[in-house]
C-alpha cells in the first residue's frame, strides 16, 4: 500500500499502537521533521502512526512530529500500556551512537524525550530494534556491546523496585549467534517470541 505504509525510501518496524486497529511504524519520506533547509526528510527516519477506518482501509499516516521526532533518525519504536514510548535515535555524523530514547505520551502529545543512561545505552555501541513489555518493566533490544556472541546480540534489561534499569544480559546461546540477531518481539498471549537473525 504505497499510499500509507510503503512510501518514501524506507518503511519498517511496524508495531501495534494502543489497540489492534492502530499501528505505528518507521519511515523515511517526504514531509518528515527537518530543522535545516538542506536536510532531506526522505533520507531521515521518523515515527508515524495510522489506524483503520470503518471500511477497514488504513487512514493516511500521521507523523508524530516534534518533540518525539527530531532532525535525526528516529525509528523502531515500541510502547508500553502506560503510554511510555521507547525508540532509537541517531544521526549520520555519529552513526556509532545509536541510543535508546524514552518519551511519555498524554493525549497523543509527547513530552521531550531523553536518552536512557547506562547501563542500557553504552557509549560508542549501538542499542537498536527494541521491544518493551506491556507493563513497561522489561526491555529487549539488540546491541553490539561487549559481552555478546558477535555482531548484534539480543539483550534484556529490567526495571527494579526503585525504577532503575538492571545491567543488560544476553538472551543466551539458544537465541544469539555470532551473526546479527535483531528485531525482538514478544507475543505474550501466545507465549512466543520472534526475531530476525543472520545465522
Amino acid at each position: 500500500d504505497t499510499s500509507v505504509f510503503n512510501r518514501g525510501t524506507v518503511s519498517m518496524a511496524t508495531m501495534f499502537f494502543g489497540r489492534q486497529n492502530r499501528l505505528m511504524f518507521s519511515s523515511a519520506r517526504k514531509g518528515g521533521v527537518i530543522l535545516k533547509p538542506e536536510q532531506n526528510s526522505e533520507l531521515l527516519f521518523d515515527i508515524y502512526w495510522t489506524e483503520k477506518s470503518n471500511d477497514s482501509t488504513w487512514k493516511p499516516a500521521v507523523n508524530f512530529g516534534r518533540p518525539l521526532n527530531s532532525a535525526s533518525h528516529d525509528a523502531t519504536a515500541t510502547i508500553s500500556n502506560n503510554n511510555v514510548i521507547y525508540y532509537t535515535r541517531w544521526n549520520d555524523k555519529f552513526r556509532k551512537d545509536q541510543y535508546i530514547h524514552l518519551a511519555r505520551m498524554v493525549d497523543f502529545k509527547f513530552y521531550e524525550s531523553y536518552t536512557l543512561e547506562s547501563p542500557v545505552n553504552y557509549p560508542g555501541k549501538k542499542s537498536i530494534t527494541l521491544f518493551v513489555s506491556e507493563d513497561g518493566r522489561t526491555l529487549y533490544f539488540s546491541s553490539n556491546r561487549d559481552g555478546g556472541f558477535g555482531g548484534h546480540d539480543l539483550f534484556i534489561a529490567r526495571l527494579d523496585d526503585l525504577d532503575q534499569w538492571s545491567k543488560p544480559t544476553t538472551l543466551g546461546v539458544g537465541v544469539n549467534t555470532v551473526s546479527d540477531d535483531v528485531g525482538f518481539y514478544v507475543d505474550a498471549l501466545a507465549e512466543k517470541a520472534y526475531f530476525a537473525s543472520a545465522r
Side-chain angles (χ1 to χ4, degrees), residues 38-105:
E38 62 270 22
Q39 288 183 306
N40 181 356
S41 67
E42 289 190 279
L43 302 177
L44 291 171
F45 278 113
D46 274 345
I47 303 168
Y48 291 79
W49 70 276
T50 181
E51 62 184 344
K52 278 188 177 180
S53 303
N54 292 334
D55 62 1
S56 293
T57 60
W58 292 99
K59 296 180 180 179
V62 178
N63 189 306
F64 277 113
R66 298 271 300 152
L68 182 68
N69 289 311
S70 67
S72 297
H73 296 283
D74 303 288
T76 65
T78 177
I79 192 165
S80 69
N81 60 11
N82 54 358
N83 291 329
V84 177
I85 190 168
Y86 297 83
Y87 63 104
T88 303
R89 175 178 288 173
W90 75 97
N91 64 54
D92 292 326
K93 186 176 181 181
F94 302 104
R95 296 190 67 84
K96 289 184 177 180
D97 296 335
Q98 295 184 16
Y99 294 151
I100 296 173
H101 281 241
L102 176 153
R104 300 183 187 280
M105 183 183 74

Side-chain angles (χ1 to χ4, degrees), residues 26-173:
S26 306
S27 184
R29 58 177 67 188
K30 287 183 179 178
V33 173
I34 59 173
L35 297 181
K36 298 177 182 178
E38 62 270 22
Q39 288 183 306
N40 181 356
S41 67
E42 289 190 279
L43 302 177
L44 291 171
F45 278 113
D46 274 345
I47 303 168
Y48 291 79
W49 70 276
T50 181
E51 62 184 344
K52 278 188 177 180
S53 303
N54 292 334
D55 62 1
S56 293
T57 60
W58 292 99
K59 296 180 180 179
V62 178
N63 189 306
F64 277 113
R66 298 271 300 152
L68 182 68
N69 289 311
S70 67
S72 297
H73 296 283
D74 303 288
T76 65
T78 177
I79 192 165
S80 69
N81 60 11
N82 54 358
N83 291 329
V84 177
I85 190 168
Y86 297 83
Y87 63 104
T88 303
R89 175 178 288 173
W90 75 97
N91 64 54
D92 292 326
K93 186 176 181 181
F94 302 104
R95 296 190 67 84
K96 289 184 177 180
D97 296 335
Q98 295 184 16
Y99 294 151
I100 296 173
H101 281 241
L102 176 153
R104 300 183 187 280
M105 183 183 74
V106 177
D107 297 328
F108 272 72
K109 298 187 184 302
F110 286 93
Y111 291 97
E112 192 72 44
S113 71
Y114 63 88
T115 306
L116 290 184
E117 297 179 357
S118 180
V120 173
N121 290 311
Y122 193 88
K125 301 293 183 178
K126 299 177 182 180
S127 297
I128 59 173
T129 62
L130 49 155
F131 177 83
V132 68
S133 61
E134 287 189 5
D135 63 6
R137 305 198 70 81
T138 306
L139 183 66
Y140 303 89
F141 63 97
S142 183
S143 178
N144 62 346
R145 68 180 58 213
D146 297 337
F149 297 86
H152 280 79
D153 288 302
L154 292 163
F155 287 79
I156 184 173
R158 292 183 172 90
L159 277 177
D160 63 20
D161 293 338
L162 299 176
D163 287 338
Q164 300 294 315
W165 287 104
S166 67
K167 181 180 179 181
T169 57
T170 73
L171 294 185
V173 293

